[in-house]
Amino acid sequence: MSETPAVTPPPKDPMKGFRGVLSGTLIMEAITVALALPVVNKLGGGITTATGWTVIGIAVALLVLCGLLKHPWAVPVVLVLQVALIALAFVLPAIAILGAIFLAAFLWFLHLRRDVARRMAAGTLPSQQQQQR
């Protein structure tokens, strides 16, 4: 019998994991923002048609961006949408608080991504260490 040569799988790309984390966070944010509207309407001063459609439009845009995170322009658009939610502070303070919380989360994720990219370039990731053995 002849043995087939062992095929080594390609190294894992840690950046794919970040896209998944960002996508999952966008989905959670879209759901949270959409579910906050009835609460704000009941407990707050109410929602006008314009603010309601604006918030729903942002929630839909967040969902659409989940599939577009592979493009380099998607992350800045996500950050702009967070700022748009924060800009609603004068009309819907609860929605602005959600925007601030998720903006902080995305900024933290971007910090982690930069750190992983730096460690990847230096060759100090654990997955890179196993390949050298």
Side-chain angles (χ1 to χ4, degrees):
M1 286 193 241
S2 65
E3 290 186 27
T4 59
V7 178
T8 59
K12 293 183 179 180
D13 181 15
M15 294 306 166
K16 279 187 177 181
F18 279 112
R19 285 196 309 259
V21 168
L22 291 178
S23 181
T25 305
L26 284 171
I27 290 171
M28 287 189 305
E29 181 181 13
I31 292 169
T32 305
V33 167
L35 289 176
L37 277 175
V39 174
V40 171
N41 188 35
K42 186 76 172 174
L43 300 178
I47 298 173
T48 65
T49 303
T51 56
W53 281 110
T54 301
V55 172
I56 293 298
I58 290 173
V60 169
L62 291 169
L63 288 175
V64 169
L65 279 173
C66 290
L68 300 174
L69 283 174
K70 62 184 171 188
H71 300 288
W73 51 264
V75 173
V77 171
V78 169
L79 296 176
V80 167
L81 286 176
Q82 303 308 314
V83 172
L85 284 173
I86 294 170
L88 292 172
F90 298 108
V91 183
L92 301 169
I95 300 293
I97 291 170
L98 290 175
I101 290 170
F102 280 100
L103 176 64
F106 281 111
L107 291 175
W108 184 58
F109 294 150
L110 293 176
H111 170 72
L112 290 176
R113 182 175 76 170
R114 184 183 60 183
D115 183 52
V116 168
R118 181 184 54 78
R119 291 173 58 200
M120 211 162 79
T124 59
L125 288 177
S127 62
Q128 293 171 323
Q129 298 302 315
Q130 292 173 356
Q131 292 172 357
Q132 293 175 357
R133 291 180 186 170

